[in-house]
Amino acid sequence: MSNTMLQDLRFGLRVLLAKPGFMLAAVLTLALGIGANTAIFSVVKAVILDPLPYPHPEQLITLAQGNSEAERNPVNVGYTTFVDWQQQLHSISAIAVFADWQASISGNGDANLVTGMRVSPQFFSVLGTAPILGRTFSVEEDQSGQHDVVVLSNGLWQRQFGADPAIVGRKVTINGRDRTVVGVLPSEFKPAFYGNVSGVPEIWLPLGYRLSDESACRDCLHLQAVARLQPNVELRGVRAELDALAQREIHDYPDKYPKAMRFVATSLQATLIGDAPKALWLLLAAAGLVLLIACVDVGNLVLVRAQGRLRELAVRSALGARRTRLAKLLLAESAIVAIGGGVFGVLFAFVGVRALANFGSASVARLETVTLDPYALVFAAVLSVLVTLLTGLWPALRSSRFRLDEALKSGARATGSSSSMRLQAILVVSQIVLAFVLAVGAALVMRSFAGLLSVEPGFDPHDVVGLNVSTIGPRYSEPAQVRRFYEQLLEQMRAAPGVSDASVVSSLPMSGNYDRAGFHIKDRPIAGQEAPEVDRYFVSTGYFATLHIPLLRGRDFSAADRADSAPVAVVSDTLAQTLWPHEDAIGKQIQLGGRDEKAPWATIVGIVGDVRQYGLDVALTPQAYIPHAQQPADPVTLLIRAPLAAEAVAASVRSAVRAIDPAVPVYAVAPLQQRIADTLARRRLTLTLFALFAFTALGLAAIGIYGVVSYTIAQQTQALGLRRALGASNASVLRWVLRRSASYAAYGMLIGIPAALLWGRMLASELVGISQHDLLSFVAVGVALSAVVMLASIGPAWRALRIAPTVALRYE
């Protein structure tokens, strides 16, 4: 750095410190913009740009089977289809499937529940992970009932087994059975994807499927698949191969695959982060608009301040300073402000990143990994340089261009030229345009979110707590044993103090755990590939009463619906209206799954209200319910309706479970209202940030308007004084001030409407149940922004009213 530059920076710092109010306002304004951009950039980098923590992550993909065009993001596949993929896909080097698993490590007192996975032998090789102790699974160990072996995570090995180096070969009791530990994974292995269970997997078991198993059927879609591409093979190559294979499968097995069936290949990273990238890029764009408003704000302040220093600049010019020298002096001051904004912006970003990681990790995958790393600091430094140029270069060049004789004649009081005032007006209008665009976007997202909150889920979540329960182990190998356990548990819970209802369900609405099955009608034979799919629930008696799901016609399940009685079912109103639009569905006989004329048919005995299984922002789907007593499912969610805290309910349930079987785990305790809120977590985070940026933009626009109107009045002091001396009323002076502010607002909003329409189009994916051209949002923002402009003009207007007529004589 040259001595001249250092001198300019030292002089600029002294000048700025002489006006600390200006310096503080400018630094904090830029810090808001730089901090917001740095924080969102850190999130974008961690979630989208950073590679997954596996060797050659670009080769990792997920494979799934979709059965209809409406199924946008299928995730599951059947085991037999997976075997076909293994044998016939040549563009992949390895493929594996996995499923959720709950491991109960028995000990004193309550069972110690550990989240895990059941995986095919190639799972770890697909991810490129080798154990630090022992080995992973062999193909022979994947045969059902052949070997009871497990692989442990590094954290579980240290926490549960004291990092015992002799753990390999040791037997541990899991789910009531002795299993041999064959390997321990490295600490850096992070299972970046997992299913719908609660928590990160820490223990792995062989999948143990055979093609002859009932659960290995082609249309039993409950497994997830991950694969590694062959070197130099791109995603479109495997997609072409999958398309050809899907057509062969439909032709060879028409009763197993719908005509619309397709195989879907997606990069693993895209599968993990879902629709988050578009929202994050939009947030980064919104943060960029905030920074641009901040730059315009500070640029305007710099320009106004430089106009007030014309005499000083003129004296320097008279003493021989060139125009470029004067511009460098002014640019040095802008650089100091930008550096200060960058430093404080990094501090703001640090706080913002910590807040996003703590409160938003449940809504966006990989958000918990976000940090303010060196790349973010470089990003902040680059922004500071750009800010220096945006806020200082143009004002410096304009302020260094003046007529020396006029500047010297102006004395201590510098008057702004008409061109400078026009430039400031343009900058203020630009701020209003940007603020209008951001505020309209926030209003659209807010209205969309408010609409979602008003959507009826189809059940009443108030005072209901959900707890997952799993009867795992050899003690519950028979359905009758599972049935008896839940009958005892429900009997105890219904008698517990404060409990009004209790029931169990196999797939809790909005839990992320789904079960779909083919729907067959006895008197309406339909080919397997044409059979509709429905959401299938296995529920106990009292389920509809517990959730206040209305019974529209027929009857509810009763204690008489047992394993040895005739099969029955209850269906949703949408299903009944769709399949029997002109007749009564009650009394019809159905089967769920595959059609089997020799198997018993269930009779529909009731029709209930629709439930939103997938979320408030997803359309209603047809649903069918089977009595848990006739087909016991496990694991299940236990639902308790009681006006008690979730902790009190959990303590009561654990006490009841311990009295029946201490080895049965109770986990994932949460009020149903919280579970619904979790489904909207990503949208809530997006709304919060958009609203924060919009309010910041409105505040910065108000500051800019205040500054320009104040400067305009200062420049028009003589004219206003003469008006007052000639008898102008307070009302006329007030109209003059407010008319100028109103013109800024009008021009800004007129120009901003097309830009806001374009911004709304970009936000379309974030909007549910509301048009991107929503008139109410535009009108509300227009009114709010007009109010902000008028409020920002009150202070300058008051000063204008206080100008006495004698001021005019003084200037004469």
Side-chain angles (χ1 to χ4, degrees):
M1 185 179 295
S2 65
N3 291 331
T4 302
M5 187 177 299
L6 287 174
Q7 291 174 1
D8 291 345
L9 291 174
R10 283 196 296 268
F11 177 77
L13 183 60
R14 287 198 303 270
V15 171
L16 289 171
L17 291 176
K19 299 284 186 179
F22 165 80
M23 183 176 181
L24 182 62
V27 167
L28 291 181
T29 298
L30 292 180
L32 284 173
I34 293 174
N37 278 268
T38 304
I40 300 299
F41 168 79
S42 299
V43 173
V44 169
K45 179 180 176 295
V47 175
I48 302 176
L49 303 180
D50 283 350
L52 296 176
Y54 306 113
H56 302 289
E58 72 283 355
Q59 296 177 351
L60 292 173
I61 63 171
T62 59
L63 302 177
Q65 175 184 324
N67 287 337
S68 68
E69 291 298 328
E71 192 177 4
R72 294 179 299 173
N73 300 304
V75 295
N76 293 335
V77 67
Y79 182 77
T80 304
T81 302
F82 155 68
V83 173
D84 290 347
W85 287 346
Q86 273 188 313
Q87 297 172 350
Q88 301 183 47
L89 292 179
H90 304 292
S91 54
I92 60 175
S93 60
I95 183 173
V97 287
F98 59 92
D100 303 337
W101 178 51
Q102 292 295 328
S104 177
I105 303 178
S106 302
N108 296 327
D110 294 339
N112 180 20
L113 186 74
V114 178
T115 299
M117 282 182 175
R118 295 167 58 203
V119 300
S120 60
Q122 302 87 357
F123 180 79
F124 298 105
S125 61
V126 167
L127 297 180
T129 299
I132 58 170
L133 293 177
R135 58 178 177 81
T136 56
F137 306 130
S138 66
V139 175
E140 292 76 18
E141 289 168 337
D142 192 40
Q143 299 302 309
S144 179
Q146 294 299 309
H147 293 84
D148 287 329
V149 293
V150 293
V151 169
L152 307 178
S153 73
N154 198 277
L156 181 63
W157 170 56
Q158 295 189 37
R159 186 177 67 253
Q160 188 76 23
F161 303 102
D164 181 5
I167 188 67
V168 174
R170 176 176 162 185
K171 290 186 179 297
V172 295
T173 302
I174 299 175
N175 295 352
R177 298 174 59 175
D178 287 340
R179 303 182 188 271
T180 303
V181 177
V182 297
V184 176
L185 298 178
S187 58
E188 59 269 18
F189 175 72
K190 298 185 183 301
F193 63 99
Y194 37 95
N196 301 317
V197 295
S198 175
V200 178
E202 294 189 290
I203 188 168
W204 289 263
L205 181 78
L207 186 65
Y209 276 22
R210 294 178 180 176
L211 288 174
S212 58
D213 292 343
E214 182 180 354
S215 57
C217 62
R218 291 183 180 275
D219 48 2
C220 299
L221 309 183
H222 57 268
L223 300 175
Q224 296 184 54
V226 60
R228 183 174 288 275
L229 295 173
Q230 294 278 11
N232 302 320
V233 172
E234 296 183 356
L235 196 57
R236 64 172 176 265
V238 72
R239 284 173 175 166
E241 201 173 10
L242 284 170
D243 290 343
L245 179 56
Q247 294 305 311
R248 293 199 300 271
E249 299 279 51
I250 293 172
H251 178 270
D252 294 343
Y253 307 98
D255 60 333
K256 299 296 182 183
Y257 298 107
K259 287 183 178 179
M261 188 274 291
R262 69 196 192 282
F263 295 144
V264 178
T266 311
S267 71
L268 178 57
Q269 182 144 352
T271 299
L272 289 177
I273 59 182
D275 61 351
K278 187 169 185 179
L280 291 178
W281 287 120
L282 288 171
L283 285 171
L284 187 60
L289 292 179
V290 171
L291 179 60
L292 190 55
I293 293 174
C295 289
V296 173
D297 217 353
V298 173
N300 220 339
L301 291 175
V302 170
L303 187 60
V304 169
R305 189 167 178 275
Q307 289 296 316
R309 296 171 60 192
L310 282 180
R311 179 174 173 77
E312 173 200 336
L313 298 176
V315 171
R316 286 179 175 272
S317 179
L319 294 175
R322 295 186 177 182
R323 179 185 172 193
T324 54
R325 180 73 181 123
L326 298 177
K328 286 179 180 180
L329 283 173
L330 296 175
L331 192 60
E333 296 177 22
S334 297
I336 293 171
V337 171
I339 291 171
V343 172
F344 282 97
V346 168
L347 295 178
F348 290 166
F350 177 77
V351 175
V353 162
R354 293 289 297 273
L356 288 171
N358 290 334
F359 301 112
S361 57
S363 58
V364 179
R366 306 184 72 197
L367 191 57
E368 72 281 356
T369 66
V370 63
T371 59
L372 208 62
D373 60 14
Y375 291 97
L377 299 179
V378 171
F379 180 80
V382 171
L383 285 184
S384 298
V385 173
L386 292 176
V387 163
T388 301
L389 297 177
L390 287 173
T391 62
L393 188 58
W394 193 11
L397 292 176
R398 286 191 60 85
S399 299
S400 61
R401 186 173 59 226
F402 51 81
R403 290 185 58 179
L404 183 60
D405 55 340
E406 291 184 358
L408 290 174
K409 282 193 300 181
S410 65
R413 177 181 170 274
T415 59
S417 66
S418 58
S419 62
S420 295
M421 296 179 67
R422 283 196 300 271
L423 174 60
Q424 289 157 11
I426 291 173
L427 292 178
V428 168
V429 170
S430 300
Q431 283 182 304
I432 294 175
V433 170
L434 296 173
F436 182 77
V437 170
L438 277 177
V440 166
L444 289 172
V445 174
M446 192 177 301
R447 290 251 297 148
S448 173
F449 191 79
L452 282 177
L453 293 179
S454 66
V455 172
E456 288 294 332
F459 60 92
D460 179 12
H462 298 87
D463 292 334
V464 179
V465 177
L467 311 91
N468 287 12
V469 182
S470 180
T471 52
I472 49 184
R475 181 175 177 178
Y476 300 98
S477 58
E478 296 296 328
Q481 297 167 317
V482 176
R483 184 184 304 112
R484 179 57 182 160
F485 172 84
Y486 287 115
E487 287 176 349
Q488 290 179 305
L489 178 59
L490 288 176
E491 182 180 354
Q492 291 196 31
M493 292 312 304
R494 286 166 181 163
V499 175
S500 58
D501 282 301
S503 58
V504 298
V505 61
S506 57
S507 300
L508 183 67
M510 301 190 197
S511 66
N513 185 21
Y514 313 125
D515 182 14
R516 294 185 66 80
F519 189 85
H520 303 274
I521 306 170
K522 187 174 183 179
D523 60 359
R524 195 185 302 174
I526 301 176
Q529 60 185 9
E530 302 295 339
E533 282 191 334
V534 300
D535 294 326
R536 176 173 58 182
Y537 303 84
F538 300 96
V539 303
S540 68
T541 57
Y543 172 73
F544 303 118
T546 302
L547 290 187
H548 294 174
I549 299 173
L551 178 66
L552 304 180
R553 293 193 299 281
R555 70 171 178 88
D556 195 352
F557 297 135
S558 69
D561 299 318
R562 303 188 59 82
D564 54 357
S565 62
V568 293
V570 169
V571 299
S572 67
D573 188 48
T574 290
L575 188 150
Q577 294 287 348
T578 302
L579 296 180
W580 293 280
H582 305 297
E583 53 184 318
D584 194 353
I586 294 178
K588 301 298 183 181
Q589 292 187 301
I590 63 170
Q591 284 182 348
L592 297 178
R595 187 183 183 99
D596 185 354
E597 300 297 343
K598 298 179 181 180
W601 292 79
T603 301
I604 297 176
V605 297
I607 299 173
V608 296
D610 295 302
V611 170
R612 292 188 180 271
Q613 167 72 12
Y614 299 92
L616 297 177
D617 55 351
V618 181
L620 290 170
T621 54
Q623 294 136 10
Y625 301 85
I626 303 296
H628 189 267
Q630 294 186 340
Q631 294 187 43
D634 190 78
V636 298
T637 299
L638 174 65
L639 299 173
I640 305 295
R641 178 172 287 279
L644 304 172
E647 295 78 8
V649 173
S652 179
V653 171
R654 289 193 172 99
S655 177
V657 169
R658 191 181 299 114
I660 303 171
D661 185 353
V664 171
V666 177
Y667 57 100
V669 180
L672 256 60
Q673 286 180 288
Q674 180 60 48
R675 298 199 183 208
I676 294 177
D678 289 344
T679 66
L680 300 174
R682 209 273 297 157
R683 291 187 181 276
R684 185 180 295 104
L685 177 65
T686 302
L687 167 63
T688 301
L689 292 176
F690 271 124
L692 182 62
F693 292 156
F695 283 121
T696 303
L698 290 174
L700 292 176
I703 293 172
I705 294 165
Y706 178 90
V708 168
V709 173
S710 296
Y711 178 70
T712 301
I713 291 175
Q715 300 304 318
Q716 297 293 324
T717 299
Q718 183 178 3
L720 289 174
L722 287 172
R723 286 191 182 191
R724 298 295 302 280
L726 295 174
S729 65
N730 288 343
S732 63
V733 174
L734 182 63
R735 282 196 299 270
W736 179 84
V737 175
L738 295 182
R739 190 183 302 117
R740 182 176 293 271
S741 298
S743 66
Y744 293 153
Y747 283 122
M749 285 185 282
L750 285 175
I751 298 172
I753 287 175
L757 290 171
L758 178 61
W759 183 240
R761 184 175 180 181
M762 296 171 65
L763 290 173
S765 62
E766 297 297 313
L767 306 179
V768 178
I770 188 174
S771 169
Q772 63 200 44
H773 307 130
D774 180 57
L775 181 61
L776 181 60
S777 297
F778 279 75
V779 172
V781 169
V783 172
L785 188 55
S786 298
V788 168
V789 171
M790 293 299 104
L791 288 173
S793 305
I794 288 177
W798 175 253
R799 283 198 299 273
L801 293 175
R802 297 180 64 186
I803 297 177
T806 55
V807 173
L809 299 176
R810 185 182 310 134
Y811 281 98
E812 289 297 317

